[in-house]
Amino acid sequence: MLDATPKEIVERKALRINPAKTCQPVGAMYAALGIHNCLPHSHGSQGCCSYHRTVLSRHFKEPAMASTSSFTEGASVFGGGSNIKTAVKNIFSLYNPDIIAVHTTCLSETLGDDLPTYISQMEDAGSIPEGKLVIHTNTPSYVGSHVTGFANMVQGIVNYLSENTGAKNGKINVIPGFVGPADMREIKRLFEAMDIPYIMFPDTSGVLDGPTTGEYKMYPEGGTKIEDLKDTGNSDLTLSLGSYASDLGAKTLEKKCKVPFKTLRTPIGVSATDEFIMALSEATGKEVPASIEEERGQLIDLMIDAQQYLQGKKVALLGDPDEIIALSKFIIELGAIPKYVVTGTPGMKFQKEIDAMLAEAGIEGSKVKVEGDFFDVHQWIKNEGVDLLISNTYGKFIAREENIPFVRFGFPIMDRYGHYYNPKVGYKGAIRLVEEITNVILDKIERECTEEDFEVVR
Amino acid sequence: MSENLKDEILEKYIPKTKKTRSGHIVIKTEETPNPEIVANTRTVPGIITARGCAYAGCKGVVMGPVKDMVHITHGPIGCSFYTWGGRRFKSKPENGTGLNFNEYVFSTDMQESDIVFGGVNKLKDAIHEAYEMFHPAAIGVYATCPVGLIGDDILAVAATASKEIGIPVHAFSCEGYKGVSQSAGHHIANNTVMTDIIGKGNKEQKKYSINVLGEYNIGGDAWEMDRVLEKIGYHVNATLTGDATYEKLQNADKADLNLVQCHRSINYIAEMMETKYGIPWIKCNFIGVDGIVETLRDMAKCFDDPELTKRTEEVIAEEIAAIQDDLDYFKEKLQGKTACLYVGGSRSHTYMNMLKSFGVDSLVAGFEFAHRDDYEGREVIPTIKIDADSKNIPEITVTPDEQKYRVVIPEDKVEELKKAGVPLSSYGGMMKEMHDGTILIDDMNHHDMEVVLEKLKPDMFFAGIKEKFVIQKGGVLSKQLHSYDYNGPYAGFRGVVNFGHELVNGIYTPAWKMITPPWKKASSESKVVVGGEA
């Protein structure tokens, strides 16, 4: 397994090996699936669309519907204007979404396709039916990562839809970041438990975690409704959960509709969830209900009960910046050590935040890398091992080769079922994380211990 | 019924799309047993196609499985990420210790500055870094969409780098926008494999040597085929490209027969090897007992060796005896069920035969990226019009190799074999094996599929990951025939057993009967779940 990975580390300046990121458009497609009755549309070669739908379906075990402009060589020379125009006509006649959310690709970006002009030409030509919408965002694959693409689509939603009508709605907007539908459900549940009116956008719950009913629905029940997206401009506040995925949309909304925003960490772990709950309470003056306090207490209870298996453990973490920043803090809260912390997504805030939390905790000797990859982490592990690895599916190769307990976290998780129903955010999500982490550590102990040490109670 | 279905599919299209799509949907009838279908033409934008791109066909399908090469995707990160492991072409280090990069992907991870100023220098550095770190047998460089637009000369970079590092470096101009589907990428890969790789080896030819072309070892298929072939006494000289080493590709000219499993992706090489080296090829089918038996007998006829023929029959008898109970069980459980198939460019046909042996009737079949010859047979190739989208994929011509060309089967013997039904240099296509009233849909899109599901209510629908969950939400079993639903092998005698059990398990899993909650049962009698049963 990964036999070709050498222990000796040589600096690479050009070759990316086993990336810890993918490209913008898949993030944009995911975000667009969080709009109710929306068909995401990929403006480029059709291979992009197929790849993105594939990885989303492999992760969620759900349909991931999207269409493509199907560029051929001709379009790559003359531009994709006629492709998008044909596509939009076909989409509305065949699939009848309320809204088409277009994202670009490296091909259409390199070409310099002008989507706003195409869209206004389609409006003028009457090819967008009455009451239907076409919005777009630019997602050049050679900038940022899938997280950037998510952020850009959120910004596109705000640019096209958010309106300040002057009539306040008394709600709080929440941009959940590139998290799963179960996380979005959990965030909504916390709002509801606090009795706070909210608009979450995008919201893939009910879209990518839908039930089997015997009847296929191309546009499932979930997703943020267009009227609510418009109404985001009338809210009192936007909570941006995770600056990489959510700040761009929040800032744009502030600029466009004067809705102030507050950036919070993705609510993973104790302090990040505390911060989220406190922010809700402070913004509304509402008291935190006993039910939430009980959940928090259960989490702390679990952390104390399981501490002997977690304290001092060295952990390697790879994933998206917002989630890994929060998770690294939680690892510290668990008494463990974030030994290697890597994201593939560019942006130095990651480095600063992780460095700061390590310094605060007095942890030395950790490696933190922005724009790193799985190959980096594997080489580091070969030089100094860890007790736990947390990453998306691709970490399993390192985990097997180096015999490291492994927890799947982030995107994509393509080799396990059901994870999309269980949140990682909130106190409930943290409880789930502690359970998973402790279980894999115990599994290794019990797999390897002598028979006389194989115990009934742990 | 079939005519109605076609009309019902077309009804919703806008006129221009209706006209285009109409030719892609044909009905096989007594009067038109081999209707002409429109295939390998550009997809109508917006219709929700399942198709991929030339890069997917070149790097993902044909070249990716060559395990001791480092395959560097030149482009932004996504394209390499999406070809990282998901296709399930299995491989093992050759002889236990050889190089195997199957668990890795490599990319130049192009950034904005590379797009603006060109990515040539980064590509050069990446090749050197890969060589220094891994010392692979060869390096492949694969262009993604923007590379063609910005004009990076990857062929020149590869040629220079190859001289500098002393190993072959092959560049593939397989930008995603080339052609109309993965098929363009197959062709691009075939060309380079033929001109720059095959024939460069220096191994000795072994007795009873054959190659298996268009077999990618998904789920371990090639290994099961090897087992059967080697048991008979054949030497599998090279598999293109499942679990292949670069050296095996180089020595692929040292065989007496080429078997073609996936006609679509590799027929170019089969044809060119025949011209250049005189190696005959037959269309084979290792999917389903009938196909395997026929293939093994065809092979024996080609070799015309009494010992081999005898051994062939012994192995067939042994292998069938070992699985007969399973075959009977599958038939008992599946007889009378109906299926639809929508796969790449080959499997809809090969699996249809296996389903038939279980008593499963195929109502609709389609290909994602096939050409007319895959539907109608190779005899239509001279009549296929090449349109502008395919014209820019180079057609290469080979001539007999002065040193290496040889006559393996004399001409009169070839004619005799053809008369006896051995598919030498021929593939009859899928259509001829379908029954009257069945429908063929090329580049089937989401809308087409929804109508098919609603109107025909098949018991099972074979497709890919993008379709699977759509189908299953509607209560119909869907098995992925690209990835085999993470199981396999499905080829060979043991593959039949794997496939059959999975199918039976899928159809009879208890959950299908639980879809409607008890409190809704009384009111929803009309909403009968059509797929599985308990």
Side-chain angles (χ1 to χ4, degrees), chain B residues 51-65:
Chain B
R51 280 177 167 179
C53 62
Y55 165 83
C58 180
K59 195 269 184 178
V61 174
V62 179
M63 295 310 298

mmCIF file of all heavy atoms in Angstrom, chain B residues 51-65:
data_model
loop_
_atom_site.group_PDB
_atom_site.id
_atom_site.type_symbol
_atom_site.label_atom_id
_atom_site.label_comp_id
_atom_site.label_asym_id
_atom_site.label_seq_id
_atom_site.Cartn_x
_atom_site.Cartn_y
_atom_site.Cartn_z
ATOM 1 N N ARG B 51 -22.606 11.391 -20.173
ATOM 2 C CA ARG B 51 -21.284 11.321 -20.798
ATOM 3 C C ARG B 51 -20.199 12.088 -20.053
ATOM 4 O O ARG B 51 -20.462 13.071 -19.391
ATOM 5 C CB ARG B 51 -21.373 11.913 -22.210
ATOM 6 C CG ARG B 51 -21.934 10.972 -23.244
ATOM 7 C CD ARG B 51 -22.031 11.707 -24.561
ATOM 8 N NE ARG B 51 -22.263 10.807 -25.670
ATOM 9 C CZ ARG B 51 -22.414 11.224 -26.930
ATOM 10 N NH1 ARG B 51 -22.347 12.513 -27.208
ATOM 11 N NH2 ARG B 51 -22.599 10.357 -27.886
ATOM 12 N N GLY B 52 -18.984 11.639 -20.255
ATOM 13 C CA GLY B 52 -17.819 12.338 -19.753
ATOM 14 C C GLY B 52 -17.029 12.916 -20.903
ATOM 15 O O GLY B 52 -17.573 13.178 -21.980
ATOM 16 N N CYS B 53 -15.721 13.057 -20.687
ATOM 17 C CA CYS B 53 -14.910 13.814 -21.650
ATOM 18 C C CYS B 53 -13.744 12.981 -22.190
ATOM 19 O O CYS B 53 -13.486 11.866 -21.741
ATOM 20 C CB CYS B 53 -14.380 15.070 -20.980
ATOM 21 S SG CYS B 53 -13.300 14.729 -19.583
ATOM 22 N N ALA B 54 -13.033 13.576 -23.138
ATOM 23 C CA ALA B 54 -11.893 12.908 -23.760
ATOM 24 C C ALA B 54 -10.812 12.564 -22.737
ATOM 25 O O ALA B 54 -10.204 11.491 -22.793
ATOM 26 C CB ALA B 54 -11.309 13.788 -24.868
ATOM 27 N N TYR B 55 -10.584 13.469 -21.795
ATOM 28 C CA TYR B 55 -9.594 13.208 -20.742
ATOM 29 C C TYR B 55 -9.963 11.941 -19.960
ATOM 30 O O TYR B 55 -9.118 11.093 -19.682
ATOM 31 C CB TYR B 55 -9.509 14.427 -19.815
ATOM 32 C CG TYR B 55 -8.809 14.159 -18.513
ATOM 33 C CD1 TYR B 55 -7.413 14.187 -18.417
ATOM 34 C CD2 TYR B 55 -9.532 13.841 -17.357
ATOM 35 C CE1 TYR B 55 -6.772 13.926 -17.213
ATOM 36 C CE2 TYR B 55 -8.904 13.580 -16.161
ATOM 37 C CZ TYR B 55 -7.519 13.621 -16.093
ATOM 38 O OH TYR B 55 -6.894 13.356 -14.901
ATOM 39 N N ALA B 56 -11.253 11.831 -19.647
ATOM 40 C CA ALA B 56 -11.723 10.646 -18.913
ATOM 41 C C ALA B 56 -11.452 9.377 -19.711
ATOM 42 O O ALA B 56 -11.045 8.351 -19.159
ATOM 43 C CB ALA B 56 -13.209 10.766 -18.597
ATOM 44 N N GLY B 57 -11.680 9.440 -21.017
ATOM 45 C CA GLY B 57 -11.469 8.263 -21.855
ATOM 46 C C GLY B 57 -10.003 7.923 -22.022
ATOM 47 O O GLY B 57 -9.625 6.747 -22.097
ATOM 48 N N CYS B 58 -9.170 8.942 -22.056
ATOM 49 C CA CYS B 58 -7.739 8.713 -22.304
ATOM 50 C C CYS B 58 -7.014 8.349 -21.017
ATOM 51 O O CYS B 58 -6.471 7.266 -20.882
ATOM 52 C CB CYS B 58 -7.123 9.970 -22.927
ATOM 53 S SG CYS B 58 -5.369 9.807 -23.285
ATOM 54 N N LYS B 59 -7.037 9.274 -20.053
ATOM 55 C CA LYS B 59 -6.321 9.034 -18.803
ATOM 56 C C LYS B 59 -7.096 8.057 -17.913
ATOM 57 O O LYS B 59 -6.546 7.096 -17.399
ATOM 58 C CB LYS B 59 -6.092 10.359 -18.066
ATOM 59 C CG LYS B 59 -5.063 10.284 -16.942
ATOM 60 C CD LYS B 59 -5.670 9.949 -15.602
ATOM 61 C CE LYS B 59 -4.611 9.989 -14.497
ATOM 62 N NZ LYS B 59 -5.188 9.708 -13.181
ATOM 63 N N GLY B 60 -8.384 8.332 -17.777
ATOM 64 C CA GLY B 60 -9.176 7.534 -16.847
ATOM 65 C C GLY B 60 -9.349 6.100 -17.293
ATOM 66 O O GLY B 60 -9.230 5.179 -16.496
ATOM 67 N N VAL B 61 -9.619 5.907 -18.573
ATOM 68 C CA VAL B 61 -9.972 4.563 -19.045
ATOM 69 C C VAL B 61 -8.766 3.790 -19.560
ATOM 70 O O VAL B 61 -8.415 2.745 -19.033
ATOM 71 C CB VAL B 61 -11.068 4.639 -20.137
ATOM 72 C CG1 VAL B 61 -11.328 3.260 -20.746
ATOM 73 C CG2 VAL B 61 -12.350 5.201 -19.547
ATOM 74 N N VAL B 62 -8.140 4.306 -20.607
ATOM 75 C CA VAL B 62 -7.152 3.480 -21.311
ATOM 76 C C VAL B 62 -5.779 3.509 -20.633
ATOM 77 O O VAL B 62 -5.175 2.469 -20.397
ATOM 78 C CB VAL B 62 -7.036 3.888 -22.798
ATOM 79 C CG1 VAL B 62 -5.990 3.028 -23.507
ATOM 80 C CG2 VAL B 62 -8.391 3.753 -23.494
ATOM 81 N N MET B 63 -5.272 4.689 -20.308
ATOM 82 C CA MET B 63 -3.899 4.761 -19.806
ATOM 83 C C MET B 63 -3.786 4.570 -18.290
ATOM 84 O O MET B 63 -2.807 3.998 -17.804
ATOM 85 C CB MET B 63 -3.262 6.102 -20.203
ATOM 86 C CG MET B 63 -3.080 6.295 -21.700
ATOM 87 S SD MET B 63 -2.256 4.911 -22.553
ATOM 88 C CE MET B 63 -0.646 4.885 -21.757
ATOM 89 N N GLY B 64 -4.763 5.060 -17.558
ATOM 90 C CA GLY B 64 -4.697 5.008 -16.089
ATOM 91 C C GLY B 64 -4.303 3.659 -15.509
ATOM 92 O O GLY B 64 -3.510 3.589 -14.570
ATOM 93 N N PRO B 65 -4.841 2.551 -16.055
ATOM 94 C CA PRO B 65 -4.505 1.256 -15.466
ATOM 95 C C PRO B 65 -3.051 0.793 -15.649
ATOM 96 O O PRO B 65 -2.655 -0.182 -15.008
ATOM 97 C CB PRO B 65 -5.460 0.288 -16.200
ATOM 98 C CG PRO B 65 -6.597 1.141 -16.674
ATOM 99 C CD PRO B 65 -5.956 2.461 -17.004
#
